[in-house]
Amino acid sequence: QQQVKQSPQSLIVQKGGISIINCAYENTAFDYFPWYQQFPGKGPALLIAIRPDVSEKKEGRFTISFNKSAKQFSLHIMDSQPGDSATYFCAASMKGPEKLVFGKGTKLTVNP
Amino acid sequence: ETGVTQSPTHLIKTRGQQVTLRCSSQSGHNTVSWYQQALGQGPQFIFQYYREEENGRGNFPPRFSGLQFPNYSSELNVNALELDDSALYLCASSMRVGEQFFGPGTRLTVL
């Protein structure tokens, strides 16, 4: 019920390409869906987040697409750059103590 | 405005020992959450503190305990350390409802 499933586990993209990471959830009580970026040896950094009342949110090169009926959401990174190489985590939380439930992460490598 | 800070950066302990990790929340944030991140995994929620009271707990045994102080800084204590406790421990601060901002973490190694 609390699980968030993330795919793929790893992703290699050429510079300038589009990176797409997908997540699926089961618990319909989740109402907040953030994406975090983590570099080696660092804590996760909030990248972009969405609530289920909208189907898409864009910030710069980063876009979240949200499909409430399918219980899926995805991160699109346009014009991917080598500096985007990091591990990306999707997460979900619900009202109450807003504990984040994380996916297992996707290691993105952007080749120059 | 300062971000979330954690200390120490790294720590090595032996099995059975006790450890205390510290976190200073971002200015203006009154809620602190702690997460454990095993190697190659996503962070897992340990517990959350709001105004010095525990406000929710994940699936961790009682030997994981915490405190929050009046200035909203926080401590995570782990007793009777086990080898599986080796992980990156992350602190995140937020307002009561809102985005969580993570610190750099404390890398704990249990030998």
Side-chain angles (χ1 to χ4, degrees), chain B residues 4-109:
Chain B
V4 180
T5 60
Q6 293 186 242
S7 63
T9 306
H10 296 90
L11 204 51
I12 299 175
K13 291 285 188 178
T14 56
R15 198 169 52 178
Q17 285 189 310
Q18 177 266 342
V19 69
T20 297
L21 311 181
R22 294 178 176 84
C23 170
S24 291
S25 59
Q26 187 167 314
S27 176
H29 286 179
N30 55 19
T31 302
V32 171
S33 304
W34 285 92
Y35 293 81
Q36 180 196 66
Q37 186 177 21
L39 203 60
Q41 301 293 317
Q44 291 213 330
F45 176 77
I46 302 174
F47 43 56
Q48 183 181 87
Y49 279 83
Y50 169 65
R51 292 189 175 178
E52 303 177 59
E53 297 283 334
E54 188 179 288
N55 185 44
R57 189 178 184 93
N59 190 25
F60 281 81
R63 59 189 185 84
F64 285 78
S65 63
L67 283 174
Q68 188 181 30
F69 301 99
N71 66 354
Y72 304 133
S73 65
S74 178
E75 286 183 354
L76 164 66
N77 299 289
V78 187
N79 293 323
L81 283 166
E82 301 177 358
L83 297 179
D84 284 350
D85 295 334
S86 295
L88 181 68
Y89 287 86
L90 296 161
C91 164
S93 77
S94 62
M95 294 303 292
R96 177 66 180 87
V97 175
E99 299 166 338
Q100 295 189 25
F101 296 91
F102 284 83
T106 294
R107 172 70 64 187
L108 173 65
T109 302

Side-chain angles (χ1 to χ4, degrees), chain A residues 13-19 37 39 61-62 77-86 88 108-112:
Chain A
V13 173
Q14 291 300 118
K15 179 182 175 182
I18 302 173
S19 304
Q37 178 191 57
F39 293 103
R61 295 185 294 111
F62 301 93
I77 305 174
M78 311 300 287
D79 187 26
S80 298
Q81 299 296 313
D84 296 332
S85 298
Y88 292 80
L108 172 65
T109 302
V110 181
N111 288 329

